[in-house]
Amino acid sequence: MTTSSSPGRPRDPEVDRRIARAALDVFGDTGWAGFAMETVARRAGVGKASLYLRWSSKQALLTDALGEGLPRVSDVDTGTLHGDLVELATQMLGLYAGPSSRAALRLSVEAGSIPGVAEHYEALRQAQILAARAIVRRGIARGELPAAASVTLLLETLMGGAMMHALTTPPERRPELANDTAAHARRLVDFLMHSVTAGAHA
Amino acid sequence: MTTSSSPGRPRDPEVDRRIARAALDVFGDTGWAGFAMETVARRAGVGKASLYLRWSSKQALLTDALGEGLPRVSDVDTGTLHGDLVELATQMLGLYAGPSSRAALRLSVEAGSIPGVAEHYEALRQAQILAARAIVRRGIARGELPAAASVTLLLETLMGGAMMHALTTPPERRPELANDTAAHARRLVDFLMHSVTAGAHA
């Protein structure tokens, strides 16, 4: 996470963590338009000068904080398509309902227009696409999915469904969701795997 | 749309439209943190004073602009579940890919924390939920859906899938998407109706 900070400077990991937390909170509250070194310093309870000693710009500070604070989606092979999708959906819900949910939601809307941060979001997105692709590839190999299965639509409905669920969960109830992401992930995947019309005409 | 503006004042509809457009553009660019009467006035090419003559606060201005500029989702009975869902998805894509897409995306992330605007977003959401409920109710009545079909999951995957598709379409390609929302809406609904595993083991 320290690629953009000065090399060789002694660091206090506890202060670094507090600054990263404050940076994500400020970004989550106000987005890029309200993101300022001074606001982050005040929120973290450190001097503005000590922020500038560590980061040369607010882009560098935000990029480090996002790298530190936002969980990156990774591919886990559980042995079944259902298990793999539940794992992916659980990670997405963790991202959008967890302690940095507001920053994650902001990032998905704003990333493209923040210089230097767009690349970071692209890397997050790529990790999600790679995980989804690997899941679909294994699903096809196991005969659980048709060879022409759409990775894009699967990813968009799974991620979009997870994001929309977090968005429509009132902020005060998001910690509850974050504590039990797997339960909703299973409901979401069951829904997508059985399609909206399964069971009709029964 | 003019509930919060002064009554009895002569209005120029063309100026009103320009101001509403500018307000949505500023909100789309910077969110609430960067939303200021002065910025909107400059963007619309009118004096700040004339904005204050019409709206007493920036909340009132933004609420009017959102009411004017964001299409409200409505329920259309096409006679089939597939047709109804395509219509709903087309409207959602129009919202998230159309000329006010950035404001619509911002609103979904920020609405809850903007005093006086949260209610407006809630009304938009309620219209979407009512439309989805009516579609599911008709689908069950026609025997196209099981009686226990989840309105929430259907709405979250359909809306979330539409939103995610718009979000991951680069801004310069969104007008192209906005011009042909029905084509993607059909792909999305076909995917949701056939489920990810349909056709496997064929």
Side-chain angles (χ1 to χ4, degrees):
Chain A
M1 63 152 278
T2 53
T3 47
S4 44
S5 54
S6 323
R9 183 172 308 283
R11 309 279 295 242
D12 177 343
E14 164 53 25
V15 171
D16 277 9
R17 257 192 304 275
R18 222 163 63 214
I19 294 172
R21 183 71 264 155
L24 290 178
D25 287 345
V26 169
F27 180 64
D29 282 355
T30 66
W32 184 245
F35 192 80
M37 295 293 243
E38 192 156 359
T39 319
V40 175
R42 207 178 314 126
R43 188 111 164 201
V46 301
K48 196 175 147 188
S50 80
L51 242 70
Y52 275 110
L53 280 175
R54 287 173 157 93
W55 293 277
S56 58
S57 68
K58 57 183 196 164
Q59 277 92 344
L61 168 58
L62 181 58
T63 304
D64 270 8
L66 291 169
E68 172 108 325
L70 288 195
R72 186 168 292 211
V73 164
S74 64
D75 174 35
V76 179
D77 184 352
T78 66
T80 65
L81 176 66
H82 186 269
D84 288 2
L85 290 176
V86 168
E87 175 61 34
L88 181 62
T90 301
Q91 293 187 29
M92 299 299 318
L93 284 167
L95 180 63
Y96 291 124
S100 304
S101 65
R102 305 194 59 217
L105 291 167
R106 286 266 184 195
L107 188 66
S108 61
V109 170
E110 297 193 16
S113 51
I114 311 174
V117 173
E119 295 74 7
H120 183 82
Y121 179 64
E122 216 18 62
L124 269 178
R125 283 264 316 145
Q126 282 305 320
Q128 294 165 353
I129 292 168
L130 285 178
R133 253 193 218 139
I135 289 171
V136 167
R137 206 168 36 230
R138 288 196 299 269
I140 293 171
R142 294 188 202 103
E144 296 173 294
L145 272 179
S150 168
V151 179
T152 307
L153 281 167
L154 178 59
L155 189 64
E156 286 177 359
T157 50
L158 191 82
M159 283 182 48
M163 185 199 227
M164 196 54 82
H165 186 70
L167 266 178
T168 55
T169 300
E172 68 274 14
R173 295 195 47 209
R174 275 186 211 155
E176 194 185 315
L177 172 61
N179 274 335
D180 195 12
T181 45
H184 185 75
R186 266 192 303 273
R187 279 193 291 275
L188 175 59
V189 171
D190 287 347
F191 178 83
L192 287 176
M193 285 190 69
H194 292 99
S195 94
V196 299
T197 51
H201 311 290
Chain B
M1 65 153 275
T2 53
T3 47
S4 44
S5 53
S6 324
R9 182 172 309 283
R11 311 279 296 243
D12 176 343
E14 162 53 24
V15 170
D16 277 9
R17 257 193 304 275
R18 222 163 65 213
I19 294 171
R21 183 70 263 157
L24 290 178
D25 288 345
V26 169
F27 180 64
D29 281 354
T30 66
W32 184 245
F35 192 81
M37 294 294 242
E38 190 156 359
T39 319
V40 175
R42 208 179 314 125
R43 188 111 162 201
V46 302
K48 198 176 145 185
S50 81
L51 241 70
Y52 275 109
L53 281 175
R54 288 173 156 93
W55 293 277
S56 57
S57 69
K58 55 185 197 163
Q59 278 90 344
L61 168 58
L62 182 58
T63 304
D64 271 8
L66 292 169
E68 171 110 326
L70 289 195
R72 186 167 291 212
V73 163
S74 64
D75 173 37
V76 178
D77 184 353
T78 66
T80 66
L81 177 65
H82 187 271
D84 288 2
L85 290 176
V86 168
E87 175 61 35
L88 181 62
T90 302
Q91 293 187 29
M92 299 298 317
L93 284 167
L95 180 62
Y96 290 125
S100 305
S101 64
R102 307 194 58 216
L105 291 166
R106 288 266 183 192
L107 188 67
S108 61
V109 170
E110 299 193 18
S113 51
I114 311 175
V117 172
E119 296 74 8
H120 183 83
Y121 179 63
E122 217 16 63
L124 269 179
R125 284 265 315 145
Q126 283 305 320
Q128 293 165 354
I129 292 168
L130 286 179
R133 254 194 217 139
I135 290 171
V136 167
R137 207 169 35 231
R138 288 196 298 270
I140 293 170
R142 292 188 204 104
E144 296 173 294
L145 273 177
S150 167
V151 179
T152 308
L153 281 168
L154 178 60
L155 189 64
E156 286 177 358
T157 51
L158 191 83
M159 280 182 49
M163 184 198 229
M164 196 55 82
H165 185 71
L167 266 177
T168 55
T169 299
E172 69 274 14
R173 294 195 47 211
R174 275 187 211 155
E176 193 186 316
L177 172 61
N179 274 335
D180 194 13
T181 45
H184 185 76
R186 266 191 303 272
R187 278 193 292 274
L188 175 60
V189 171
D190 287 346
F191 178 83
L192 286 176
M193 285 190 70
H194 292 98
S195 94
V196 299
T197 51
H201 310 290

